[in-house]
Amino acid sequence: MWARRVSARAVFDNGGVTRPVPFDSGALRPRLPSPLEEVADDRFARHGVRLLLKRDDLIHPELIGNKWRKLVPNLEAAAGRPVVTFGGAYSNHLRATAAAGRLLGLPTVGVVRGDELAGRPLNPSLACCAADGMRLHFVDRAAYRSKAAPATLAAILRAAGAEDAYVVPEGGSNAPAVRGCRALGEELRAHADVVALACGTGGTLAGLAAGLGPGRRALGIPVLRGGFLGDAIRALQREAFGGPVGDWRLDERFHFGGYARTTPALEDFARDFEERHGLPVERLYVAKSLYGLVVLAEEGAFPRGTRLAAVVTGAPFPS
């Protein structure tokens, strides 16, 4: 078992669910199924809830967490073509795509939101992308917002010199990614009654819910404001599976002001969780989901005896 020692009562083998490993090089070979650790936490135990941590952050050292599950099906679909994708200046998805390109010898182009960044020194996240060989192309924010429109996308690809590239959407959420994330639910269906995770673009939740099966529920904690994510998840499931699959819902209360926003209270919570359980807590996604679960447990949202699995979808940067 590859999990390091934590304050856990048990580590499960996830039922032995595995998937064929793509690519002959082995460079993207994952640790699947990812470990599932039960941790002792009185904030849950006093309500009769068992807390499990699904350690997707241990799947791969560079394609961390749900990034491996979402990217690999798209890289297979790319079939060796250059890959172009989209993200903000601190995008985990851009970094993962750049790392995959380096490992596979695959050209990558990152379309970055904000043309005002083009003349500035690269921040650590974008510098990491560039060091991995990703060619960065900065676009103005208006064009970025309308990038899904065919004419705008075509213009962006022309300007980036990537007209023949395989396009992966922002956050990596599309039908191949959603189908790839279905395995996450399959790995958990025998061990958890409720599975929770932080959501950005919704692809992981859409696949997770499909894989959990009857009698299991998926809970998403959006990290962006706006109330748009439900429609996005429904659209992704239609694209991937032809219609709605699985039991899922969202709780929109724990975004802490929106994407890339934190507060002193969230920082204090994350540090406390790290001290309790020896787990490095990524702040923009994982901390928000864990905070939300503590609040929900206090509110009595989970019946006594519930096996609650929290998916650790990423690690702090730099990991």
Side-chain angles (χ1 to χ4, degrees):
M1 185 61 64
W2 51 83
R4 60 186 176 76
R5 188 173 181 272
V6 296
S7 56
R9 293 197 298 272
V11 180
F12 302 95
D13 67 1
N14 298 292
V17 176
T18 58
R19 287 290 176 271
V21 177
F23 308 112
D24 293 334
S25 70
L28 300 188
R29 186 167 297 277
R31 292 174 168 177
L32 285 177
S34 60
L36 182 65
E37 305 166 350
E38 181 169 359
V39 297
D41 193 310
D42 63 294
R43 296 169 295 185
F44 296 90
R46 64 172 169 259
H47 300 288
V49 176
R50 296 169 58 191
L51 178 64
L52 314 171
L53 300 179
K54 179 62 167 166
R55 296 295 305 273
D56 266 19
D57 58 313
L58 300 179
I59 286 177
H60 190 277
E62 296 190 76
L63 275 69
I64 293 172
N66 59 346
K67 300 306 177 190
W68 191 97
R69 297 186 188 272
K70 295 165 77 175
L71 264 177
V72 165
N74 276 288
L75 294 170
E76 289 181 308
R81 295 161 57 196
V83 171
V84 61
T85 193
F86 303 81
Y90 293 91
S91 169
N92 296 325
H93 170 66
L94 285 183
R95 289 201 309 274
T97 305
R102 172 175 54 80
L103 292 168
L104 296 173
L106 189 69
T108 59
V109 179
V111 178
V112 184
R113 180 179 61 246
D115 58 346
E116 74 278 4
L117 301 173
R120 300 177 186 174
L122 298 178
N123 67 31
S125 185
L126 293 178
C128 183
C129 293
D132 278 339
M134 175 174 274
R135 184 161 54 84
L136 301 175
H137 177 73
F138 300 86
V139 301
D140 69 79
R141 293 172 185 270
Y144 192 92
R145 282 193 297 272
S146 60
K147 62 187 178 298
T152 303
L153 176 61
I156 290 173
L157 295 179
R158 278 197 305 274
E163 292 173 274
D164 297 326
Y166 178 87
V167 177
V168 179
E170 183 177 28
S173 290
N174 57 7
V178 170
R179 289 191 287 267
C181 289
R182 180 168 48 191
L184 174 59
E186 294 170 349
E187 291 172 21
L188 285 165
R189 62 169 56 160
H191 302 294
D193 305 299
V194 179
V195 181
L197 76 165
C199 300
T201 52
T204 305
L205 182 65
L208 164 68
L212 279 175
R216 304 291 183 261
R217 177 161 58 91
L219 170 65
I221 307 293
V223 302
L224 288 81
R225 295 184 297 177
F228 61 89
L229 196 57
D231 289 341
I233 293 168
R234 284 183 281 272
L236 285 167
Q237 287 201 329
R238 283 194 301 271
E239 185 183 1
F241 308 121
V245 187
D247 181 4
W248 60 269
R249 72 177 184 89
L250 301 172
D251 194 315
E252 308 261 2
R253 294 179 291 164
F254 305 110
H255 53 69
F256 285 84
Y259 182 69
R261 302 287 182 88
T262 63
T263 67
L266 184 65
E267 290 285 346
D268 290 344
F269 171 84
R271 283 192 292 268
D272 176 71
F273 200 96
E274 289 172 335
E275 292 172 3
R276 287 173 183 253
H277 303 301
L279 171 75
V281 176
E282 188 274 330
R283 298 312 200 249
L284 304 185
Y285 286 86
V286 178
K288 295 178 180 182
S289 64
L290 294 172
Y291 183 98
L293 293 180
V294 170
V295 172
L296 286 164
E298 292 291 341
E299 293 175 349
F302 309 115
R304 297 189 72 84
T306 296
R307 298 169 300 172
L308 173 63
V311 183
V312 183
T313 52
F317 175 75
S319 58

